[in-house]
Amino acid sequence: MAKYIYFFGEGKAEGNGKMKELLGGKGAGLAEMTNVGAPVPPGFTITTDVCNYFYKNNGKFPSGLEEEIKDNIQRLERAMGKRFGDSENPLLVSVRSGAKFSMPGMMDTVLNLGLNEKTIKGLIGKTNDERSAWDAYRRLIQMFGNVVMGIEKSKFEKLLDGKKRKKGIKFDHQLSVDDLKDLVVRFKEVYQKETGKNFPSDSLRQLKMAIDSVFKSWNNPRAVTYRRLNKIPEDLGTAVNAQAMVFGNMGNDSGTGVGFTRNPSTGEKKFYGEYLLNAQGEDVVAGVRTPERIENLKKEMPKIYQQLKEITTNLETHYRDTQDFEFTIENGKLFMLQTRTGKRTAFAAVKIAVDMAKEGLISKEEALMRMAPEQIDQLLHPILDPQAKIEVIAKGLPASPGAASGAVTFTAEEAVEKSKREPVVLVRSETCPDDIHGMDAAKGILTARGGMTSHAAVVARGMGKPCVAGCEAIQIFEEDKKIVVNGKSIKEGDWLTIDGGTGRVISGKVPTVKPSLSGDFDTFMKWADKTRKLGVRANADIPRDAKMAINFGAEGIGLCRTEHMFFAPDRLPIVQKMILADTEKERRKALDKLLPLQREDFLGLFREMKGYPVIIRTIDPPLHEFLPRREELMVEIALMKERGKPKAKIKKKETLLARVEQLHEMNPMLGHRGCRLGITYPEITEMQVRAIMEAACTLAKEGKTVLPEIMIPLVGHINEFKNQKAIAVKVAESVMKNYGVKIKYLVGTMIEIPRGAITADEIATEAEFFSFGTNDLTQMGFGFSRDDAGRFITDYLSKGILKSDPFQTIDQDGIGKLIEMGIKQGRKTRKDLEIGICGEHGGDPESVKFCHRVGMDYVSCSPFRVPIARLAAAQAVIEDKNK
């Protein structure tokens, strides 16, 4: 017969701290504390297996569980010398949830189970404290009614607040015995009215109903949301802990509190916590009274304080990590109710990890595993002032971390102009490449459409700017220059705040605080760099981004997108002339004007990189993206005609419209772009390679080391690459001859089309490096539009069709197999083939670990994600070693 319950008490437990999968974090912690001799009230844990059985069998429990509960209640009665439901010497129990991973406040708790009209008399007789007994009874009805039966808390709180107002008192503990007796009667009336049933008087029935409700709370909305946000698997289930009650509300020699062995905000090695005398556990966190700082306990109960400090210090040493603990003092006796690994800020996580390694409590490798790579975001971006009061009006996707406030603007041009006078937030239905200058000028970007790898998201991350994307709750009326959110109108110029780390959109201006990087962070990252094998480069298009990348520890540029340079106001007209040209001669004339500008761009990048490799991708997007939008031109021409504008100007616009019409494509992402443009217009590839090589040769003549790598995008066939490589090599050799220098350069390709991965062995006969463009590879492999998939991906995630968004984390079972195939095939042909990744996945920790496992040489990501990738790469090595 399966064992579903594990007992703990009387100095020994059937479980231990390693059984989190089965007993949950709380149950495993209680068992371990019991085994190491901490004063833990006895109890038992119902395993997570029961929770999973419960959900697989329509809310039914496995056979034999009821008898096992009764057997363990009897064990608990013997351990405590009390009887459950007894009118003379009653045993009371609490029921709490406890999953493998801590989910604070997400699931349910019920205290004081076992109280009824008979047992309360026994409790009064044993404790000689009538007030505490009636206080415990009213709390039971309130918690049971809310947690088990779903009665709104406010129904009870209204009566409680009304009683205090009538009596002219402020706090619960000031209520008299008669006040509490009256509240018990009135709470039962609320219970009966709301449920149509009397409050259950049978103690065992109370317990069973409470256990049932805690298992149900595994799937309450807040728990489901918390798991989704923290990537906790849905199938873990929660355990249920039933534990003998101890009372902190028995007078001024009793109390309750919570604490940490180190400060969870700063990481300082200092006893940290709060407590209340004459109170029960929920009073500390519910804010019904202002708790005391734990240092004050040293004055009020010095022996208890010393015992608590010794126990928790021993627990930290035992677990070798910061502990979050709960305790109760009953009539001058200390009881430990919980210990678990303490949650902490990113600042605290770094300090605690470094300090514990220096103290010899953990190794450097263990220190590196103590911090989730994603937490580093908190250290690099401005965050909202935690003390500020805010009004959240909508929520979108947390596309790029950080927080920003600014006046609302609706166009890139307005953003540039208005940013000269005040900070702005650029609000768009979705952004496109010609919004780049406005995005650069804005403090943050908010879009109504698009996903985590949409244009807005990718560019914002590259810039290190906050972005909330795909916020479908906002309606944008560009003509009226306003946004409407749930009936609230926000006009151009009104202030708005976005939190790119959470996706929140907040009304008005909210102050931010800038995190500071400490010496501990530098130490921590040096340990990571010594451990990792995977190189980390950055996606950077301009010298400013390159400098930032170097400061964050990048070892080169893995992707420079040359087309972003074309959108600068002084260059766009030249690019448009090149596109509108009817002959090659006219195109070359425009390209000749662009050449020195591009050369200067590359010179700046090479100087900042100081000898690190720089991968520069030739033009990728379709040409129509550099021209005005078709619909906008049509409207503009109609208005010009209506207003009688000069025919010559109208003719010029009509010529532009004709070219836009000519370039218009039904599916531009699969259209005339990437290497296909270079094949049709080889002069574009020639100009870009010439600019790259002239910049490199200029620095080489100055005696500086330069490592240019020319990347041809969107190659799906070996002959496409041969065509573009031939142009690149011819131009490169010519430039080196003219400058009288010889430098090492590579010509490689971006593997972003499934056929490119499948035929990688052929392509590697010519290509000297591969860089996997996982944004497009995912898009084409799944057949998902990355700009539109956000509308249904959430359904795929909530219904379990996908475990994670494939545009955020590499789909290792599908797209990952294409990548593995490409690496294996490519290196079969060319053993020294340099291989990396340059999609946004390069900054996703799970994807970085995948890149390590499949044998890539480096990952490349936006500058602000470089430290995240460095830590994830180190953790990949440690995880391999531990396996």
Side-chain angles (χ1 to χ4, degrees), residues 711-726:
M711 182 159 70
I712 311 300
L714 219 72
V715 168
H717 195 288
I718 178 66
N719 290 339
E720 289 176 317
F721 184 76
K722 280 183 177 179
N723 175 283
Q724 291 294 283
K725 182 185 177 183

Side-chain angles (χ1 to χ4, degrees), residues 410-520:
F410 293 99
T411 70
E413 289 71 27
E414 287 170 356
V416 171
E417 281 306 308
K418 292 187 177 178
S419 67
K420 296 171 185 175
R421 299 186 294 276
E422 61 181 348
V424 299
V425 171
L426 178 62
V427 180
R428 304 283 283 152
S429 294
E430 57 189 344
T431 62
C432 65
D434 57 8
D435 289 325
I436 194 80
H437 55 301
M439 296 173 77
D440 184 54
K443 292 293 182 185
I445 298 105
L446 170 64
T447 68
R449 294 197 293 270
M452 294 292 283
T453 55
S454 63
H455 176 268
V458 173
V459 174
R461 283 195 289 268
M463 291 177 166
K465 289 182 185 287
C467 175
V468 173
C471 185
E472 296 191 2
I474 65 171
Q475 293 176 280
I476 299 175
F477 298 90
E478 283 193 31
E479 285 186 13
D480 298 330
K481 300 202 171 186
K482 69 176 184 179
I483 312 166
V484 175
V485 189
N486 298 321
K488 178 173 181 169
S489 183
I490 297 168
K491 300 187 295 294
E492 183 180 49
D494 290 348
W495 277 65
L496 202 63
T497 298
I498 61 168
D499 183 353
T502 64
R504 293 179 298 173
V505 180
I506 300 157
S507 179
K509 184 178 182 179
V510 181
T512 58
V513 291
K514 192 171 183 179
S516 58
L517 302 182
S518 67
D520 288 323

Side-chain angles (χ1 to χ4, degrees), residues 602-849:
F602 301 141
L603 266 171
L605 287 177
F606 290 143
R607 287 189 197 280
E608 291 294 346
M609 281 294 116
K610 296 178 172 63
Y612 280 123
V614 177
I615 294 181
I616 299 170
R617 181 181 73 186
T618 54
I619 192 167
D620 183 49
L623 294 180
H624 72 79
E625 288 197 7
F626 299 97
L627 299 176
R629 292 179 184 176
R630 177 169 165 259
E631 293 77 12
E632 290 174 1
L633 275 173
M634 291 170 76
V635 170
E636 192 178 350
I637 291 166
L639 287 172
M640 288 174 78
K641 287 179 177 178
E642 185 183 322
R643 292 166 183 171
K645 296 291 181 181
K647 289 183 179 180
K649 286 187 176 181
I650 294 173
K651 180 68 176 172
K652 190 175 179 182
K653 288 289 181 183
E654 286 177 335
T655 302
L656 182 57
L657 175 61
R659 185 60 169 151
V660 169
E661 294 275 14
Q662 189 182 357
L663 293 171
H664 178 72
E665 294 176 304
M666 295 303 292
N667 194 341
M669 292 306 291
L670 297 178
H672 197 194
R673 54 176 283 232
C675 67
R676 301 159 194 171
L677 277 176
I679 290 167
T680 304
Y681 306 114
E683 54 272 20
I684 297 178
T685 304
E686 286 176 25
M687 182 277 289
Q688 292 200 296
V689 174
R690 184 173 299 281
I692 293 167
M693 294 306 294
E694 285 183 358
C697 289
T698 298
L699 287 184
K701 288 193 81 168
E702 294 174 10
K704 294 183 172 64
T705 304
V706 194
L707 291 173
E709 300 184 22
I710 300 160
M711 182 159 70
I712 311 300
L714 219 72
V715 168
H717 195 288
I718 178 66
N719 290 339
E720 289 176 317
F721 184 76
K722 280 183 177 179
N723 175 283
Q724 291 294 283
K725 182 185 177 183
I727 295 170
V729 170
K730 182 181 177 182
V731 172
E733 295 300 322
S734 169
V735 170
M736 287 191 290
K737 186 177 179 182
N738 289 343
Y739 275 76
V741 294
K742 197 80 176 170
I743 59 171
K744 182 184 176 183
Y745 70 96
L746 301 178
V747 183
T749 187
M750 209 166 176
I751 302 291
E752 52 192 329
I753 291 179
R755 193 182 189 280
I758 294 166
T759 61
D761 53 340
E762 289 183 17
I763 294 172
T765 59
E766 294 286 337
E768 295 167 299
F769 69 87
F770 284 174
S771 179
F772 283 91
T774 49
N775 294 345
D776 269 340
L777 192 60
T778 298
Q779 180 169 238
M780 296 187 203
F782 266 101
F784 289 167
S785 161
R786 71 186 190 197
D787 288 321
D788 299 313
R791 296 181 183 182
F792 59 84
I793 288 279
T794 49
D795 293 328
Y796 273 47
L797 297 175
S798 65
K799 294 177 181 178
I801 293 168
L802 293 174
K803 286 186 177 179
S804 58
D805 184 339
F807 290 108
Q808 293 183 44
T809 300
I810 288 174
D811 162 47
Q812 296 182 23
D813 296 331
I815 306 304
K817 284 196 168 64
L818 281 172
I819 292 170
E820 287 186 81
M821 180 192 299
I823 293 171
K824 187 178 178 182
Q825 293 285 86
R827 287 201 173 132
K828 187 172 71 175
T829 300
R830 190 185 290 265
K831 288 183 180 179
D832 62 347
L833 185 69
E834 178 189 276
I835 298 177
I837 181 176
C838 63
E840 274 301 294
H841 294 102
D844 169 68
E846 285 306 308
S847 302
V848 171
K849 292 173 184 179

Side-chain angles (χ1 to χ4, degrees), residues 471-616:
C471 185
E472 296 191 2
I474 65 171
Q475 293 176 280
I476 299 175
F477 298 90
E478 283 193 31
E479 285 186 13
D480 298 330
K481 300 202 171 186
K482 69 176 184 179
I483 312 166
V484 175
V485 189
N486 298 321
K488 178 173 181 169
S489 183
I490 297 168
K491 300 187 295 294
E492 183 180 49
D494 290 348
W495 277 65
L496 202 63
T497 298
I498 61 168
D499 183 353
T502 64
R504 293 179 298 173
V505 180
I506 300 157
S507 179
K509 184 178 182 179
V510 181
T512 58
V513 291
K514 192 171 183 179
S516 58
L517 302 182
S518 67
D520 288 323
F521 181 76
D522 291 337
T523 301
F524 186 79
M525 293 310 299
K526 282 174 184 173
W527 292 350
D529 291 338
K530 285 180 182 176
T531 304
R532 65 183 167 90
K533 296 177 181 176
L534 201 60
V536 179
R537 301 185 189 181
N539 301 342
D541 306 328
I542 56 176
R544 184 182 64 200
D545 291 348
K547 186 175 183 178
M548 186 190 302
I550 289 289
N551 291 339
F552 284 143
E555 300 157 322
I557 292 177
L559 175 63
C560 168
R561 293 156 289 210
T562 53
E563 62 272 6
H564 283 185
M565 301 164 176
F566 290 163
F567 284 103
D570 60 330
R571 304 179 190 193
L572 192 56
I574 304 172
V575 175
Q576 290 177 345
K577 276 186 181 179
M578 182 268 292
I579 296 168
L580 294 171
D582 292 322
T583 65
E584 181 184 328
K585 185 179 178 181
E586 288 176 351
R587 273 192 300 277
R588 285 189 180 277
K589 189 176 178 182
L591 288 167
D592 286 344
K593 291 180 181 178
L594 285 174
L595 175 63
L597 301 173
Q598 285 252 283
R599 184 172 57 231
E600 284 302 309
D601 293 332
F602 301 141
L603 266 171
L605 287 177
F606 290 143
R607 287 189 197 280
E608 291 294 346
M609 281 294 116
K610 296 178 172 63
Y612 280 123
V614 177
I615 294 181
I616 299 170

Side-chain angles (χ1 to χ4, degrees), residues 92 111-121 123-124 130-145 156 180-181 183-185 187-188 199-202 206 247 249 280:
L92 302 185
L111 305 179
N112 307 325
L113 290 159
L115 270 177
N116 55 37
E117 296 296 329
K118 291 181 180 179
T119 57
I120 193 169
K121 294 174 184 175
L123 183 63
I124 293 167
E130 191 175 7
R131 191 204 169 280
S132 296
W134 284 102
D135 185 41
Y137 198 11
R138 70 92 185 166
R139 289 172 187 267
L140 168 63
I141 300 165
Q142 187 173 354
M143 293 183 81
F144 192 96
F156 298 108
L180 293 165
K181 283 182 177 180
L183 282 172
V184 165
V185 172
F187 278 11
K188 283 185 176 181
F199 183 77
S201 58
D202 181 76
Q206 289 178 9
F247 296 93
N249 61 336
Q280 279 202 296

Side-chain angles (χ1 to χ4, degrees), residues 239-272:
V240 173
N241 300 286
Q243 193 173 13
M245 282 293 304
V246 286
F247 296 93
N249 61 336
M250 308 257 316
N252 287 331
D253 64 347
S254 302
T256 185
V258 297
F260 293 80
T261 52
R262 303 192 188 212
N263 189 310
S265 294
T266 66
E268 183 184 3
K269 190 178 181 181
K270 185 179 179 182
F271 204 39
Y272 179 94

